[in-house]
Amino acid sequence: MLRWCWPFMSSSGTSTNRGQEMALLIWPSLILAAGYGYMVTFVPHQPGWQPAYALALLLGGFWGVHLILRVTRHGGDQFLLPLAACLTALGLIFLFRLDPGLAYRQIIWTILGLLVLIVVATGFRDYQRLEQYPYFFLSLGLFFLFITVLAGTRIGGAKSWLTLGSFRMQPVEAVKVLMVMYLAGYLSDKRELLVQGAGRISWGPLLVAVALAVLLLVLQRDLGSALILLVTFLAMLYLATGKLRFCVAGGALFSLGAVMAYLAFPYLRARIAVWINPWADYTGAGYQVVQSLITLGSGGIFGTGLGLGYSQVIPAVATDFIFATMGEEMGLMGSLGIILLYLLFALRGFRAALRAPEEQGVLLAGGLTVLCTFQALVIMAGVSKLLPLTGVTLPFVSYGGSSLVISYLLLALLLNVSAAGREAKP
Amino acid sequence: MKTGVRRLALATGVIFVILIVHLTYIQAIAGERLYLNPLNPRLNLVEQQTQRGAIYDRAGRVLARTVGNPGQFQRQYPYGPATALVVGYVSGRFGSSGLEASRDGDLLGLTGWQHLLNQGRRLMGQVARGNDLTLTLDAELQRLATSLLAGRRGAAVALDPRTGAVLALASSPTFDPNRLEEEWQRINSPGAGSPLLNRAIQGLYPPGSIMKLVTATAALEVDPGILQRDFYCPGYLEVQGWKLTCPRPHGHLNFQQAMMYSCNVTFATLALEAGADKFKETAALYGFDKPLKFDLPVEESRVPGRLNASALAEGAIGQGAVLATPLQMAMVTAAIANKGILMQPYLVEKVTAAGGRLLWQAVPRPLQVVTGAKVATDIKEAMVATVNGGTATAASLPGIQVAAKTGSAQNPGGEAHAWLVAFAPADEPRIAVAVVVENAGAGGVVAAPLAREILAAALRR
Ligand SMILES: [Zn+2]
């Protein structure tokens, strides 16, 4: 037991043959094999796709990435890829159980995500090169947000989709990572000035950029992403300045903004009312949350078993509510397992930040870790009514190409920062 | 900068721990309750694969049973409308109500270990079998009470004051759960008088003069000397410019006579002497202003929060903003009958597994010591006098001493609601009843004969 735990706390080995990663990749492989067993045993055959090909493709994908990282002597953290692979494998199994068609598409997105991971992890290993142009990332991010606000399609409450023919994407996923990259570059550059309070010149662009991004997200009614972006910003500001009072001030500003938004937007008031008592309108606005709570409760401690739950009654179950499905069919044990996977992911991400050789690395890894884990937290807390429900995806798990590909991009950046940390060590 | 990272990691850990605790609560502790929520669509699936348990009355008479084969199960209610508002119904189309809803988990065998056992059976394609309920209800008494109320709106509650067992819980109008499909439209039409509402536990009525039992308790606790006092009723009492009246001037009278003739002036005076706090406190001991744990959802009876002098005088005679369910007033009566000790009312006697194995049994337990035996006996004697020569003579039974109190509650809906509460035999009470008939006039005229029939039938058993 301890042998499997201690590496998460202590430092990893010194060699770059990625032995731990190889050992740990056995777990997602076993999960995938179990999923394959479930597919061929319980689910009627789908024409056009062979479960065996799907299994081979996924195993090949994850192990292929491992081999490439090994061959290129990538020094990145060895735990992040297996953790992400576990989450994606579990997500695929539950997607398959909910809707095999979605699962097959998600497999393609997984492969695409892994390709992005390889390209970024090998081609842009020197992440500092990326960080020389913060305004480029900012402009790109804001551009995405603007066109979404202007030309976006509203799907399920939030107007956060761009439609190009039959192809749909959610630019907001990319925007969040772009903002972190901008903030990492800008904050590491200006941190001295910010701490000394040397003026408006430094604070101005920062606050305007973040406020604009948040405002655009609120206009799209994507409150979850707005909240995640704000929290990530405050966390990075804290990392850069080391001053809690900036975050307190930021938090106060945010609360003020939230109160004003609460008064200004009726849909926000409705959302809060549903959070406080979803049972009051259990056939209407509260339906999703009520059914999600009943789904989680029906799972109990040990769960109903894969495929034996009844979570398909929840709208958007494959994207925002997939955690409820997992909680029902794997029970409390399974949902705690998922939470622990994210917690371990966060610990490894923070560890990469801790070991980064310079400020940009600390900020980038810290920001990306907060971004990913806080997003997971927001949706897991949302479906269990700990926080008001906001429609964001569960990173690495939920159905959705944009979310999955960007999650793997984020993983690649974390790998690069952690590799830099290792290489800088004597 | 590095300390910043460590602190962020710590904060993340703390937040995750909160999430873990919350999910443990939702899934492990609240799990069964959420699962058994009527809004859970899984229950409909289970319903089709489970032979729902039967419901019996105290003598083993069938109140609800399931016949047929898996897939075509049919639920039958032999006592039909008489027990409809207690037993309730279960229907794929119209949902569920009554015990069929509140004891769904037991009836479908979904609680505790039974859940795992039955889940296993269902997985193996066998028919799972729910648990049976045995009630404290006396089906024949329930049927009598329902037929006495037929054609009127009202309710009748009968309790065993020694245990709190509910013997009858009748409400009118009612409906036939065997013919739900045909009757649904009529049931929900505006003129039907809400037959789905169980007036005995969810109807809130001004209790009228029945409330004087509570007032008397408060007054006797404050000053037992009032038993010897001489009161004078000029027919009215002015409180803060508000005039409270009696139907006629009662002149000189003692405590017992004030109860016999239901003198408003005397009881308003007694309440003003005892004070608002004492009155509210006594009402709370009887069960007002707090939720009652019961097998069916009970509306909370209430006394207004802040009572000025005129509101107190009004409340003392059960008018104004004081509202009570018939069950609440039956509890008041039962507590007096049981020497001041209020027993927790209960409806389900036991739960048995399909083979007859006992899974759970109710244990009678005191809910509250309301007052001492002396005060209870004093009030009982006044109630006996009320039957023997006061407003409740119509409730008397040959050979058995009955104790009773009448009420005629003024209300905005028209004629007064007729109330009567009673228990018998006065020396060793075995049954306490509360009857209310909406807009029917004087309690002693309309409600008393009904209560009398119920008492007589119950004591004949
Ligand atoms: Zn009088």
CSV table of all heavy atoms in Angstrom, one decimal, chain B residues 410-447:
chain,number,residue,atom,x,y,z
B,410,GLN,N,-66.2,29.7,15.2
B,410,GLN,CA,-66.6,30.7,14.2
B,410,GLN,C,-65.5,30.7,13.1
B,410,GLN,O,-64.3,30.5,13.4
B,410,GLN,CB,-66.6,32.1,14.8
B,410,GLN,CG,-67.4,32.2,16.1
B,410,GLN,CD,-68.9,31.8,15.8
B,410,GLN,OE1,-69.5,32.2,14.8
B,410,GLN,NE2,-69.5,31.0,16.7
B,411,ASN,N,-65.9,30.8,11.9
B,411,ASN,CA,-64.9,30.9,10.8
B,411,ASN,C,-65.5,31.7,9.6
B,411,ASN,O,-66.8,31.8,9.5
B,411,ASN,CB,-64.6,29.5,10.3
B,411,ASN,CG,-65.8,28.8,9.7
B,411,ASN,OD1,-66.1,28.9,8.5
B,411,ASN,ND2,-66.6,28.0,10.5
B,412,PRO,N,-64.7,32.2,8.7
B,412,PRO,CA,-65.2,33.1,7.7
B,412,PRO,C,-65.9,32.3,6.6
B,412,PRO,O,-66.6,32.9,5.8
B,412,PRO,CB,-63.9,33.6,7.1
B,412,PRO,CG,-62.7,32.9,7.6
B,412,PRO,CD,-63.2,32.1,8.8
B,413,GLY,N,-65.9,31.0,6.6
B,413,GLY,CA,-66.5,30.2,5.6
B,413,GLY,C,-68.0,30.0,5.7
B,413,GLY,O,-68.7,29.4,4.9
B,414,GLY,N,-68.7,30.6,6.8
B,414,GLY,CA,-70.1,30.4,6.9
B,414,GLY,C,-70.4,30.0,8.3
B,414,GLY,O,-69.9,30.5,9.3
B,415,GLU,N,-71.3,28.9,8.4
B,415,GLU,CA,-71.7,28.5,9.8
B,415,GLU,C,-70.5,27.9,10.5
B,415,GLU,O,-69.5,27.5,10.0
B,415,GLU,CB,-72.8,27.4,9.6
B,415,GLU,CG,-74.0,27.9,10.4
B,415,GLU,CD,-75.0,26.7,10.5
B,415,GLU,OE1,-75.5,26.3,9.5
B,415,GLU,OE2,-75.4,26.3,11.6
B,416,ALA,N,-70.6,27.8,11.9
B,416,ALA,CA,-69.5,27.4,12.7
B,416,ALA,C,-69.2,25.9,12.4
B,416,ALA,O,-70.0,25.2,12.0
B,416,ALA,CB,-69.9,27.6,14.2
B,417,HIS,N,-67.9,25.6,12.6
B,417,HIS,CA,-67.5,24.2,12.6
B,417,HIS,C,-67.9,23.5,13.9
B,417,HIS,O,-67.6,24.1,14.9
B,417,HIS,CB,-65.9,24.1,12.4
B,417,HIS,CG,-65.4,24.7,11.2
B,417,HIS,ND1,-66.0,24.6,9.9
B,417,HIS,CD2,-64.2,25.4,10.9
B,417,HIS,CE1,-65.3,25.2,9.0
B,417,HIS,NE2,-64.2,25.7,9.6
B,418,ALA,N,-68.5,22.4,13.8
B,418,ALA,CA,-68.9,21.7,15.0
B,418,ALA,C,-67.9,20.7,15.4
B,418,ALA,O,-67.4,19.9,14.7
B,418,ALA,CB,-70.2,20.9,14.7
B,419,TRP,N,-67.4,20.9,16.7
B,419,TRP,CA,-66.4,20.1,17.3
B,419,TRP,C,-66.9,19.3,18.4
B,419,TRP,O,-67.8,19.8,19.2
B,419,TRP,CB,-65.3,21.0,17.9
B,419,TRP,CG,-64.2,21.5,17.0
B,419,TRP,CD1,-64.1,22.7,16.4
B,419,TRP,CD2,-63.0,20.8,16.6
B,419,TRP,NE1,-63.0,22.9,15.7
B,419,TRP,CE2,-62.2,21.7,15.8
B,419,TRP,CE3,-62.4,19.6,16.9
B,419,TRP,CZ2,-61.0,21.4,15.3
B,419,TRP,CZ3,-61.2,19.2,16.4
B,419,TRP,CH2,-60.5,20.1,15.6
B,420,LEU,N,-66.3,18.1,18.7
B,420,LEU,CA,-66.5,17.4,19.9
B,420,LEU,C,-65.3,16.6,20.2
B,420,LEU,O,-64.8,15.8,19.3
B,420,LEU,CB,-67.8,16.6,20.0
B,420,LEU,CG,-68.0,16.1,21.4
B,420,LEU,CD1,-69.2,16.8,22.0
B,420,LEU,CD2,-68.1,14.6,21.5
B,421,VAL,N,-64.8,16.7,21.4
B,421,VAL,CA,-63.7,15.7,21.8
B,421,VAL,C,-64.2,15.0,23.0
B,421,VAL,O,-65.0,15.6,23.8
B,421,VAL,CB,-62.4,16.4,22.2
B,421,VAL,CG1,-61.8,17.1,20.9
B,421,VAL,CG2,-62.5,17.4,23.3
B,422,ALA,N,-63.9,13.7,23.1
B,422,ALA,CA,-64.4,12.9,24.3
B,422,ALA,C,-63.5,11.8,24.5
B,422,ALA,O,-62.7,11.4,23.7
B,422,ALA,CB,-65.8,12.4,23.9
B,423,PHE,N,-63.6,11.2,25.8
B,423,PHE,CA,-63.0,9.9,26.1
B,423,PHE,C,-63.8,9.1,27.0
B,423,PHE,O,-64.7,9.7,27.7
B,423,PHE,CB,-61.5,10.1,26.6
B,423,PHE,CG,-61.4,10.9,27.9
B,423,PHE,CD1,-61.5,10.3,29.1
B,423,PHE,CD2,-61.2,12.3,27.8
B,423,PHE,CE1,-61.4,11.0,30.3
B,423,PHE,CE2,-61.0,13.0,29.0
B,423,PHE,CZ,-61.2,12.4,30.2
B,424,ALA,N,-63.6,7.8,27.0
B,424,ALA,CA,-64.4,6.9,27.8
B,424,ALA,C,-63.7,5.6,28.0
B,424,ALA,O,-62.9,5.3,27.1
B,424,ALA,CB,-65.8,6.7,27.1
B,425,PRO,N,-64.1,4.8,29.0
B,425,PRO,CA,-64.8,5.2,30.2
B,425,PRO,C,-64.0,6.3,31.0
B,425,PRO,O,-62.8,6.2,31.0
B,425,PRO,CB,-65.0,4.0,31.0
B,425,PRO,CG,-64.5,2.9,30.1
B,425,PRO,CD,-63.6,3.4,29.1
B,426,ALA,N,-64.7,7.2,31.6
B,426,ALA,CA,-64.0,8.3,32.3
B,426,ALA,C,-63.0,7.8,33.3
B,426,ALA,O,-61.9,8.4,33.5
B,426,ALA,CB,-65.0,9.2,32.9
B,427,ASP,N,-63.3,6.7,34.0
B,427,ASP,CA,-62.4,6.2,35.1
B,427,ASP,C,-61.1,5.6,34.5
B,427,ASP,O,-60.0,5.7,35.1
B,427,ASP,CB,-63.1,5.3,36.0
B,427,ASP,CG,-64.1,6.0,36.8
B,427,ASP,OD1,-63.9,7.2,37.0
B,427,ASP,OD2,-65.1,5.4,37.2
B,428,GLU,N,-61.3,4.8,33.5
B,428,GLU,CA,-60.2,4.1,32.9
B,428,GLU,C,-60.3,4.2,31.4
B,428,GLU,O,-60.7,3.3,30.7
B,428,GLU,CB,-60.3,2.6,33.3
B,428,GLU,CG,-59.1,2.1,34.0
B,428,GLU,CD,-59.3,0.7,34.5
B,428,GLU,OE1,-59.9,0.6,35.6
B,428,GLU,OE2,-58.9,-0.2,33.8
B,429,PRO,N,-59.9,5.4,30.8
B,429,PRO,CA,-60.1,5.6,29.4
B,429,PRO,C,-59.4,4.7,28.5
B,429,PRO,O,-58.2,4.4,28.7
B,429,PRO,CB,-59.6,7.1,29.2
B,429,PRO,CG,-59.5,7.6,30.6
B,429,PRO,CD,-59.2,6.5,31.5
B,430,ARG,N,-60.2,4.1,27.5
B,430,ARG,CA,-59.6,3.2,26.5
B,430,ARG,C,-59.6,3.9,25.1
B,430,ARG,O,-58.9,3.4,24.2
B,430,ARG,CB,-60.3,1.9,26.5
B,430,ARG,CG,-59.9,1.0,27.6
B,430,ARG,CD,-60.8,-0.2,27.9
B,430,ARG,NE,-61.6,-0.6,26.9
B,430,ARG,CZ,-62.9,-1.1,27.1
B,430,ARG,NH1,-63.3,-1.2,28.3
B,430,ARG,NH2,-63.6,-1.6,26.1
B,431,ILE,N,-60.3,4.9,25.0
B,431,ILE,CA,-60.4,5.6,23.7
B,431,ILE,C,-60.6,7.1,23.9
B,431,ILE,O,-61.4,7.5,24.8
B,431,ILE,CB,-61.5,5.0,22.8
B,431,ILE,CG1,-61.6,5.7,21.5
B,431,ILE,CG2,-62.8,4.9,23.5
B,431,ILE,CD1,-62.4,5.1,20.4
B,432,ALA,N,-60.0,7.9,23.1
B,432,ALA,CA,-60.2,9.3,23.0
B,432,ALA,C,-60.5,9.7,21.6
B,432,ALA,O,-59.8,9.2,20.7
B,432,ALA,CB,-59.0,10.1,23.5
B,433,VAL,N,-61.5,10.5,21.4
B,433,VAL,CA,-61.9,10.9,20.0
B,433,VAL,C,-62.0,12.4,19.8
B,433,VAL,O,-62.2,13.1,20.8
B,433,VAL,CB,-63.3,10.3,19.5
B,433,VAL,CG1,-63.2,8.8,19.6
B,433,VAL,CG2,-64.4,10.8,20.4
B,434,ALA,N,-61.7,12.8,18.6
B,434,ALA,CA,-62.0,14.2,18.2
B,434,ALA,C,-62.7,14.2,16.9
B,434,ALA,O,-62.4,13.4,16.0
B,434,ALA,CB,-60.7,14.9,18.1
B,435,VAL,N,-63.9,14.9,16.9
B,435,VAL,CA,-64.7,14.9,15.7
B,435,VAL,C,-64.9,16.4,15.3
B,435,VAL,O,-65.1,17.2,16.1
B,435,VAL,CB,-66.1,14.3,15.9
B,435,VAL,CG1,-66.9,14.4,14.7
B,435,VAL,CG2,-65.9,12.8,16.3
B,436,VAL,N,-64.7,16.7,14.0
B,436,VAL,CA,-65.0,18.0,13.5
B,436,VAL,C,-65.9,17.9,12.3
B,436,VAL,O,-65.6,17.0,11.4
B,436,VAL,CB,-63.8,18.9,13.3
B,436,VAL,CG1,-62.9,18.3,12.2
B,436,VAL,CG2,-64.2,20.3,12.9
B,437,VAL,N,-67.0,18.7,12.2
B,437,VAL,CA,-67.8,18.7,11.0
B,437,VAL,C,-67.8,20.1,10.5
B,437,VAL,O,-68.2,21.0,11.3
B,437,VAL,CB,-69.2,18.2,11.3
B,437,VAL,CG1,-70.0,18.1,9.9
B,437,VAL,CG2,-69.2,16.8,11.9
B,438,GLU,N,-67.4,20.3,9.3
B,438,GLU,CA,-67.3,21.7,8.8
B,438,GLU,C,-68.6,22.4,8.6
B,438,GLU,O,-69.5,21.8,8.1
B,438,GLU,CB,-66.5,21.7,7.5
B,438,GLU,CG,-65.0,21.4,7.6
B,438,GLU,CD,-64.3,21.4,6.3
B,438,GLU,OE1,-64.8,22.1,5.3
B,438,GLU,OE2,-63.3,20.7,6.2
B,439,ASN,N,-68.7,23.6,9.0
B,439,ASN,CA,-69.9,24.5,8.8
B,439,ASN,C,-71.2,23.8,9.1
B,439,ASN,O,-72.2,23.9,8.4
B,439,ASN,CB,-69.9,25.0,7.3
B,439,ASN,CG,-68.6,25.6,6.9
B,439,ASN,OD1,-67.9,25.1,6.1
B,439,ASN,ND2,-68.2,26.7,7.6
B,440,ALA,N,-71.2,23.1,10.3
B,440,ALA,CA,-72.4,22.3,10.6
B,440,ALA,C,-73.2,22.9,11.8
B,440,ALA,O,-74.2,22.4,12.2
B,440,ALA,CB,-72.0,20.9,10.9
B,441,GLY,N,-72.6,23.9,12.5
B,441,GLY,CA,-73.3,24.6,13.6
B,441,GLY,C,-72.7,24.1,14.9
B,441,GLY,O,-71.5,23.9,15.1
B,442,ALA,N,-73.6,23.9,15.9
B,442,ALA,CA,-73.2,23.7,17.3
B,442,ALA,C,-72.6,22.3,17.4
B,442,ALA,O,-73.1,21.3,16.9
B,442,ALA,CB,-74.3,23.9,18.2
B,443,GLY,N,-71.5,22.2,18.1
B,443,GLY,CA,-70.8,20.9,18.3
B,443,GLY,C,-71.6,19.9,19.1
B,443,GLY,O,-71.7,18.7,18.8
B,444,GLY,N,-72.3,20.4,20.1
B,444,GLY,CA,-73.1,19.5,20.9
B,444,GLY,C,-74.3,18.9,20.2
B,444,GLY,O,-74.7,17.8,20.5
B,445,VAL,N,-74.7,19.5,19.1
B,445,VAL,CA,-75.8,19.0,18.3
B,445,VAL,C,-75.4,18.1,17.2
B,445,VAL,O,-75.9,17.0,17.0
B,445,VAL,CB,-76.7,20.2,17.7
B,445,VAL,CG1,-77.9,19.6,17.0
B,445,VAL,CG2,-77.1,21.1,18.9
B,446,VAL,N,-74.4,18.5,16.5
B,446,VAL,CA,-74.0,17.8,15.2
B,446,VAL,C,-72.9,16.8,15.5
B,446,VAL,O,-72.9,15.6,15.1
B,446,VAL,CB,-73.5,18.8,14.1
B,446,VAL,CG1,-73.3,18.0,12.8
B,446,VAL,CG2,-74.6,19.9,14.0
B,447,ALA,N,-71.8,17.2,16.2
B,447,ALA,CA,-70.6,16.4,16.3
B,447,ALA,C,-70.8,15.3,17.4
B,447,ALA,O,-70.3,14.2,17.3
B,447,ALA,CB,-69.4,17.2,16.6
